[in-house]
Amino acid sequence: MQLQIAPSILSADFNDLGRDIRMLNRCADLIHLDIMDGSFVPNISFGFPVVEAVSRSATIPMDAHFMVVHPERWVERCAELGVAMMSFHLEAAGDDSAKILESIRAKGMKAGLVINPDIPVEKLFPYIGKADYFLIMSVFAGFGGQKFIPESIGRIEALKAELEKRGNDAPIEVDGGVGIANAAALRKAGASIFVAGSSVFNADDPCEAVAQLRNCR
Ligand code: DX5
Ligand code: ZN
C-alpha cells in the first residue's frame, strides 16, 4: 500500500502558519489537524478559526483528529470547511461511535476511529466495515513531541491481520512519536498513513523529512 505522510501542524509555527501550509502543499499527502478540548485530553490546541484559515491555503486534503468529548457536535462544521477525513476517539464516543461514523460518511468525509494506547485493539474490530480508516495512537493523545510506545507495532499488526482476514482494506493511520527510527517497522506492521509532528517540523528541511518517511524501507 502507498504510504501517505500527514504532518501534524501542532508542531508548526503558528505565527507563520500560511508559510508552513504552503510548504506542506508541496511535499506532504495530508495535513493533520489535532483538535483538543482540554476535557478529553489535558491540553487545548486550536479550533475552527484555525481550521478555516488552513482550509484557505491547503491544496492537499485536511485530516482532522478530534480529541474531544462529543465529537458528533462538530461533524457538520468540518464538512462545511472542506475537511476530507474526520476521526474521533472510541473512548470519547463509546456506544455512539457507529452512529457518528455513519454521520461523518453521510457528509461525504472519510470516517476514522481512534484509540489511545491503553485501549485493547480488539475494541476496534466491531467497527471494521463501518470506519473508512483506523488511527492507532502510539503515544497518549494530548501533546506533540512524546516518545513512541513500541508496543504500538504489535497492535497495528493485530489490526492489520484482522482487516486482512475480513478482506477489508481500510488504511491504518499511526500517530505519536513517528519518525525515521520507527517508520520502516510501522510500514512493515501494516500502517499506511503516518502522522508526524515534531520529526517533520523540527527537521532542518521538513520536506526532506517527509520524503525520508515516505521512502522508508
Ligand atoms: C498527539 C497528537 C499528535 C501529535 C504528533 O495528541 O494527536 O498528532 O501532534 O506529534 P509528534 O509527531 O511530535 O508525536
Ligand atoms: Zn493527531
Side-chain angles (χ1 to χ4, degrees):
M1 201 182 271
Q2 177 73 34
L3 273 193
Q4 291 194 296
I5 312 302
S8 164
I9 63 158
L10 200 54
S11 300
D13 179 355
F14 283 89
N15 194 38
D16 221 336
L17 189 54
R19 180 203 61 191
D20 282 355
I21 299 300
R22 288 188 292 278
M23 173 183 72
L24 297 182
N25 285 340
R26 290 196 298 274
C27 64
D29 300 288
L30 304 166
I31 295 176
H32 188 79
L33 304 168
D34 283 306
I35 299 171
M36 306 178 186
D37 66 353
S39 184
F40 177 69
V41 287
N43 193 16
I44 294 176
S45 54
F46 53 78
F48 288 109
V50 171
V51 178
E52 195 275 330
V54 171
S55 76
R56 281 187 274 123
S57 299
T59 57
I60 57 175
M62 293 185 292
D63 162 32
H65 170 198
F66 277 80
M67 288 157 272
V68 306
V69 295
H70 292 300
E72 73 280 0
R73 291 181 181 163
W74 314 114
V75 174
E76 179 109 32
R77 200 73 213 284
C78 272
E80 284 167 8
L81 290 173
V83 166
M85 300 165 66
M86 176 175 178
S87 65
F88 62 92
H89 280 251
L90 177 64
E91 309 92 286
D95 291 342
D96 291 337
S97 296
K99 205 171 66 194
I100 302 173
L101 290 167
E102 185 50 47
S103 73
I104 294 171
R105 284 178 161 180
K107 289 284 171 195
M109 298 181 283
K110 297 257 187 250
L113 194 58
V114 192
I115 51 169
N116 262 317
D118 59 346
I119 305 297
V121 72
E122 295 75 23
K123 297 261 186 200
L124 292 177
F125 295 176
Y127 299 95
I128 294 175
K130 298 187 165 108
D132 296 301
Y133 62 103
F134 292 98
L135 171 44
I136 300 285
M137 290 304 300
S138 40
V139 301
F140 281 89
F143 300 90
Q146 302 180 75
K147 204 168 149 310
F148 179 78
I149 299 175
E151 287 76 18
S152 311
I153 305 265
R155 290 159 58 76
I156 292 166
E157 284 170 350
L159 176 57
K160 184 68 184 174
E162 185 69 18
L163 287 165
E164 278 179 352
K165 196 170 101 190
R166 302 211 202 169
N168 187 291
D169 61 1
I172 301 175
E173 182 169 26
V174 59
D175 185 359
V178 175
I180 201 62
N182 47 36
L186 288 167
R187 171 179 225 154
K188 195 154 161 274
S192 63
I193 307 174
F194 290 1
V195 177
S198 45
S199 72
V200 166
F201 284 101
N202 293 349
D204 292 337
D205 180 346
C207 277
E208 176 57 28
V210 169
Q212 280 181 12
L213 287 173
R214 200 185 277 121
N215 295 329
C216 70
R217 282 289 181 276

